[in-house]
Amino acid sequence: MPEAVALAPAVVAWFARNARDLPWRRPDCTPWGVLVSEFMLQQTQVSRVVPAFEAWMRRWPTPAALAAEPASEAVRAWGGLGYPRRAMWLHRAAVEIVERHDGDVPADVDALLALQGIGPYTARAVAAFAFGLREPVVDTNTRRVIARAVRGNGEAGPPDARADLAAMAELLPHEASDARSFNAGMMELGAVVCTARAPACDDCPIAARCAWRAAGSPAYDGPRRRTQARFEGSDRQVRGIVMRELRAAHRPVTRDELAPSWTDAAQLARAIDSLVADGLAGEGPEGLSLPE
């Protein structure tokens, strides 16, 4: 690990020169802004998140501003970011922040974990990026960089939260400010240089210390994480279509009105039923609508 620890200064210096200008990284971004960005960035590309984030923060610059409106407005504003239950969770988290923390996002990891929709990754990311605490933060990109640079593997394999956090904690600089930059830098490195399919090794600041490159970049033959089912034709796609219709309508929509939106009536009914069961849609005598 002594050689691996030497990765940190190179990554921190590279990040200082090459970090993308993203609104949640700017000095004026509040802890609430960091929290919102983390919710939005889950399973959604950065390019799609930026305009949605900026619009969201203009409308709801504080947890109290969001908590004061119904959850249906949060779901409607979520638009095409996907996985709309994240909007429901974010709204509920805003309510909890107002009720439990006087409207201020807490810095403590355990307090963050107690909020709706916040798991170990998001809690540590907010603690590190919003409050500068020395917490290891691990996402898919970080895991890939560690797998290659430290372990010599072309892929990270299936996630293991305990092992992944321990590996990042070993690399984390002792100074909180450097730790924050290293966390962000490892994510950025995996996102734009050490990518899954076409790593730009010649542009990598730690190429000379990379175990995978030193071994000749061997093909990965270890266990693989389960791949996600195709989106086209899936229940996920149909759920998205229904949610799009409900967001666009400012009145209840009947099942008959939704029928032309998908040719498979059984699949459409299944998607609608699942949205109602998940609390993402409500159904009354007049039809379906976003939750209040």
Side-chain angles (χ1 to χ4, degrees):
M1 190 58 68
E3 178 66 17
V5 172
L7 299 177
V11 172
V12 170
W14 173 85
F15 183 68
R17 297 189 303 270
N18 296 280
R20 287 171 292 177
D21 178 24
L22 300 174
W24 48 86
R25 288 178 175 169
R26 294 170 188 163
D28 61 349
C29 185
T30 63
W32 169 242
V34 173
L35 179 61
V36 170
S37 75
E38 291 298 339
F39 267 80
M40 290 186 169
L41 288 164
Q42 296 167 20
Q43 299 176 294
T44 305
Q45 299 95 326
V46 168
S47 60
R48 292 173 57 204
V49 168
V50 170
F53 172 84
E54 292 176 334
W56 189 284
M57 293 302 295
R58 284 193 298 270
R59 180 171 180 180
W60 296 307
T62 65
L66 177 59
E69 295 207 39
S72 58
E73 287 304 303
V75 175
R76 184 169 283 113
W78 198 255
L81 288 178
Y83 300 94
R85 63 164 53 92
R86 289 180 293 168
M88 293 281 293
W89 290 342
L90 182 52
H91 181 272
R92 183 59 199 166
V95 172
E96 292 170 347
I97 290 169
V98 171
E99 293 176 347
R100 301 176 193 171
H101 304 286
D102 297 323
D104 294 323
V105 175
D108 179 70
V109 169
D110 288 336
L112 287 162
L113 284 168
L115 299 174
Q116 179 68 49
I118 294 186
Y121 164 78
T122 301
R124 288 184 171 84
V126 173
F129 300 138
F131 298 101
L133 302 184
R134 187 181 179 275
E135 292 284 349
V137 183
V138 179
D139 74 347
T140 299
N141 293 312
T142 302
R143 294 181 66 248
R144 183 168 56 254
V145 175
I146 292 175
R148 288 173 175 167
V150 179
R151 297 173 180 156
N153 297 324
E155 298 180 23
D160 182 332
R162 181 176 298 179
D164 293 337
L165 282 173
M168 187 60 175
E170 284 192 71
L171 300 171
L172 210 59
H174 292 291
E175 289 294 328
S177 60
D178 287 342
R180 182 182 188 277
S181 295
F182 183 62
N183 274 317
M186 288 287 276
M187 292 181 182
E188 188 83 341
L189 191 61
V192 302
V193 175
C194 191
T195 58
R197 295 183 181 178
C201 296
D202 291 341
D203 299 327
C204 180
I206 56 174
R209 299 183 177 91
C210 178
W212 183 57
R213 184 178 169 95
S217 306
Y220 179 72
D221 60 1
R224 297 180 182 276
R225 64 184 302 167
R226 187 172 60 184
T227 57
Q228 191 175 52
R230 282 186 57 193
F231 178 74
E232 293 298 324
S234 67
D235 284 6
R236 280 180 52 227
Q237 182 183 15
V238 185
R239 281 166 59 101
I241 290 170
V242 173
M243 290 300 295
R244 184 185 65 205
E245 296 295 329
L246 297 185
R247 284 194 300 268
H250 290 265
R251 61 169 180 81
V253 179
T254 67
R255 290 188 182 233
D256 286 344
E257 288 177 310
L258 289 169
S261 64
W262 193 254
T263 56
D264 186 332
Q267 188 178 27
L268 177 61
R270 185 169 66 244
I272 292 172
D273 290 343
S274 70
L275 289 169
V276 173
D278 289 345
L280 289 168
E283 187 167 21
E286 297 181 351
L288 295 144
S289 58
L290 296 177
E292 291 299 325

